[in-house]
Amino acid sequence: MGVAAAAARAALRPTAATLLLFSRPHQHRRATQHLPFARRRRHSYSSTATVAAPTPTLGDSGGEAPEPEGKAARRRRARESPEGLLRHQLDMCSRNADLPTALRLYDAAVSPESPVPLSLHHYNCLLYLCSNAAASDPDSSAAAAQRGFDIFARMEADGVQPNEATLTSVARLAAATRDPAMAFSVVRRMAAAGVPPRLRTYGPALFAYCDAKDADGAGQVEAHMDASGVVPEEPELAALLRVNADKARAEEVYRLLHRTRALVRQVCDTTAQAVEAWFRSDAASEAGVDKWDPRKIKEGVVKGGGGWHGQGWLGKGPWSVGTSEMDKDGTCQRCGERLVCIDIDPSETDNFASSLTELAIKREARDDFLCFQSWLRRHGPFDAVIDAANVGLYNSKAFSFSQVNSVVNAIQRVTKSKKLPLIILHRNRVSGGPAKAPFNQKILEGWRNAGALYATPPGSNDDWYWLYAAVSCRSLLVTNDEMRDHLFQLLGTSFFPRWKEKHQVRLTFSGRGPTLHLPPPYSIVIQVMNLNLNNVSSSDDQSCAANVIIVRMM
């Protein structure tokens, strides 16, 4: 291991030492705030930096001053500079997961014969590639991690300040070397320096602790996430469930099952398998109390919904674990119990609609979105809203108006008012291309005449419009969009998955037309019935959910 890299690894471990790496004492340097591990840069280079020649003056040339360089010329000059060419080459390596070529480019760039100033972007590409290789290729893991630490040491020595992406890669390098404490140290120091960690930043430390069967360390990471306002998702919760189940920590398993119930709703098959493994264990059969307060249990059930009382494991003895299916009313075919529908508080819906409006106005043209709200008040409410772009492009590269119209007719037949649903479609879709065909013009005209079509303005994001309409009208939303991208992550609330469960209508097509998959009449979250029966709804395909039924044999 190189001396600089060894110093980087040592400094990243949890110690009482300073947060700065490779800093030399300067008696006369003014104190400044930095990100963790970074020094003041001796030279300020960007990915497009070049050494500019002195600008000639009238006195120098005796002629007129040159015309200012245009933006296009500056961009072209930046692309063609050594730094710009290196950036492009590293971007291609990143796209192709080509670490060997990236390392050759790096070695050439830092050679004394033809040095190229490296920017944050250069270093981030290199660290990303090293961390990917270290995590995914066991044969070259150690070598890739070593090169990554060497590159990070060089970055520190050059005084290039890291950002969240940089330190996430460093945390992944640490996790690949099976050093979860070092990975967690990176996260803690980021937070201490005012750099908000993200879920991906916590992942390396959390999964490394779980892989090492260190439930205490994993619990510390989870607590730090909570304090930073970072919400775990199903992979993180499943890993925590497994490590605590392996350690026979019954109370933690109970807590994590409740947290999974609140945050994930319907779990995937691998998570369900982790839950099954716990209930089949000796630790699960021994967990529980013989006596409890029925009054507290009743109060908990009313408050928690779905039979979840929050009072811990009741009774002792082995559990019977098996799979079953629910009929259309939510009755279990194995035990005869019926799942309940857990209502959403109307005030939660109003608050969610308000927060959605605030976010949309920040990211959309304010007047455009306010005009839509005014239009919706005049023409609504609607029993259903259709994400027409998603429906019209279902299993097709070309947008189909007839496909959207078939879904419009299908959802109209199942709604209470039998009113046409609201069709949200971008203005470009209704004014050009296939929209000009006579048959499609007739379809559009019918929607317009019924007051059921809203064309979103240029530059807008349709998602804000159809989501707001569905939430504010408390209506069904017809879309196969899983709503997992950045826009929906901004919502940052446990209400959203609960709302989707009760309002999203998915669809499939066959030769007979569309088939609507309406929300089930029961809630798909983990439910407790008769105090000793758990139902875990699990599926990788939400259209064919299976249920794990777990009954305590007392």
Side-chain angles (χ1 to χ4, degrees), residues 100-327:
T101 300
L103 292 177
R104 286 196 295 272
L105 292 168
Y106 167 73
D107 290 336
V110 299
S111 67
E113 290 78 16
S114 55
V116 177
L118 299 179
S119 71
L120 176 63
H121 184 88
H122 295 129
Y123 280 115
N124 278 351
C125 281
L126 290 160
L127 291 171
Y128 171 78
L129 284 165
C130 288
S131 63
N132 265 7
S136 60
D137 188 352
D139 295 333
S140 61
S141 176
Q146 179 60 57
R147 287 307 305 266
F149 285 122
D150 289 339
I151 290 167
F152 182 62
R154 174 74 184 228
M155 177 180 176
E156 288 288 280
D158 284 347
V160 179
Q161 288 189 343
N163 62 7
E164 182 271 334
T166 315
L167 300 177
T168 295
S169 293
V170 175
R172 294 180 68 204
L173 290 170
T177 59
R178 294 178 173 80
D179 194 342
M182 178 181 171
F184 190 25
S185 175
V186 174
V187 181
R188 290 201 305 269
R189 295 180 183 191
M190 283 177 62
V195 183
R198 296 166 60 181
L199 181 59
R200 68 175 187 178
T201 320
Y202 283 101
L206 180 65
F207 292 124
Y209 274 124
C210 291
D211 290 342
K213 307 298 183 184
D214 187 344
D216 289 331
Q220 292 176 20
V221 178
E222 184 190 9
H224 201 282
M225 291 171 64
D226 292 343
S228 301
V230 177
V231 180
E233 295 181 354
E234 186 173 357
E236 292 76 24
L237 291 169
L240 288 164
L241 270 170
R242 279 191 290 269
V243 71
N244 281 284
D246 289 342
K247 294 294 183 180
R249 300 171 63 158
E251 291 184 2
E252 281 298 291
V253 172
Y254 187 88
R255 179 186 67 81
L256 288 163
L257 279 173
H258 175 56
R259 194 163 197 199
T260 303
R261 171 182 178 270
L263 295 177
V264 179
R265 316 299 287 169
Q266 185 177 34
V267 301
C268 69
D269 289 342
T270 54
T271 305
Q273 291 165 9
V275 175
E276 286 186 64
W278 158 254
F279 283 103
R280 295 182 191 276
S281 69
D282 293 337
S285 65
E286 296 169 2
V289 294
D290 294 321
K291 296 181 180 180
W292 54 85
D293 185 343
R295 180 179 55 82
K296 288 185 177 180
I297 300 300
K298 185 176 181 180
E299 291 175 355
V301 169
V302 172
K303 181 179 179 181
W308 194 271
H309 47 75
Q311 302 300 308
W313 305 110
L314 304 181
K316 290 189 176 183
W319 297 80
S320 174
V321 181
T323 58
S324 179
E325 293 182 356
M326 301 291 147
D327 66 15

Side-chain angles (χ1 to χ4, degrees), residues 200-474:
R200 68 175 187 178
T201 320
Y202 283 101
L206 180 65
F207 292 124
Y209 274 124
C210 291
D211 290 342
K213 307 298 183 184
D214 187 344
D216 289 331
Q220 292 176 20
V221 178
E222 184 190 9
H224 201 282
M225 291 171 64
D226 292 343
S228 301
V230 177
V231 180
E233 295 181 354
E234 186 173 357
E236 292 76 24
L237 291 169
L240 288 164
L241 270 170
R242 279 191 290 269
V243 71
N244 281 284
D246 289 342
K247 294 294 183 180
R249 300 171 63 158
E251 291 184 2
E252 281 298 291
V253 172
Y254 187 88
R255 179 186 67 81
L256 288 163
L257 279 173
H258 175 56
R259 194 163 197 199
T260 303
R261 171 182 178 270
L263 295 177
V264 179
R265 316 299 287 169
Q266 185 177 34
V267 301
C268 69
D269 289 342
T270 54
T271 305
Q273 291 165 9
V275 175
E276 286 186 64
W278 158 254
F279 283 103
R280 295 182 191 276
S281 69
D282 293 337
S285 65
E286 296 169 2
V289 294
D290 294 321
K291 296 181 180 180
W292 54 85
D293 185 343
R295 180 179 55 82
K296 288 185 177 180
I297 300 300
K298 185 176 181 180
E299 291 175 355
V301 169
V302 172
K303 181 179 179 181
W308 194 271
H309 47 75
Q311 302 300 308
W313 305 110
L314 304 181
K316 290 189 176 183
W319 297 80
S320 174
V321 181
T323 58
S324 179
E325 293 182 356
M326 301 291 147
D327 66 15
K328 63 180 182 179
D329 296 321
T331 301
C332 174
Q333 301 301 292
R334 183 169 182 258
C335 65
E337 293 285 343
R338 184 173 180 178
L339 295 180
V340 300
C341 182
I342 304 171
D343 290 333
I344 295 176
D345 189 329
S347 64
E348 286 188 275
T349 302
D350 293 336
N351 292 336
F352 186 67
S354 297
S355 63
L356 186 59
T357 299
E358 292 176 9
L359 281 168
I361 287 176
K362 289 179 182 177
R363 286 161 176 80
E364 298 286 308
R366 178 184 176 86
D367 290 343
D368 289 341
F369 199 78
L370 293 178
C371 285
F372 170 65
Q373 289 181 308
S374 177
W375 182 93
L376 191 61
R377 285 191 292 270
R378 295 195 307 272
H379 292 82
F382 294 88
D383 289 335
V385 177
I386 294 185
D387 173 10
N390 180 273
V391 172
L393 290 170
Y394 180 87
N395 279 349
S396 175
K397 293 182 179 179
F399 184 84
S400 171
F401 279 95
S402 60
Q403 189 162 276
V404 176
N405 199 46
S406 66
V407 174
V408 168
N409 294 332
I411 195 68
Q412 182 185 14
R413 287 193 293 269
V414 301
T415 55
K416 293 180 180 179
S417 69
K418 300 298 186 281
K419 176 182 176 181
L420 274 182
L422 172 59
I423 301 126
I424 300 288
L425 199 55
H426 198 275
R427 191 174 298 170
N428 291 343
R429 295 268 187 205
V430 302
S431 60
K436 294 181 178 179
F439 180 75
N440 295 335
Q441 283 287 320
K442 186 177 180 180
I443 292 175
L444 285 167
E445 195 62 28
W447 296 345
R448 287 194 186 97
N449 292 339
L453 174 66
Y454 191 86
T456 58
S460 66
N461 186 334
D462 296 359
D463 297 356
W464 290 114
Y465 291 80
W466 52 252
L467 181 57
Y468 174 80
V471 171
S472 61
C473 291
R474 292 166 169 74

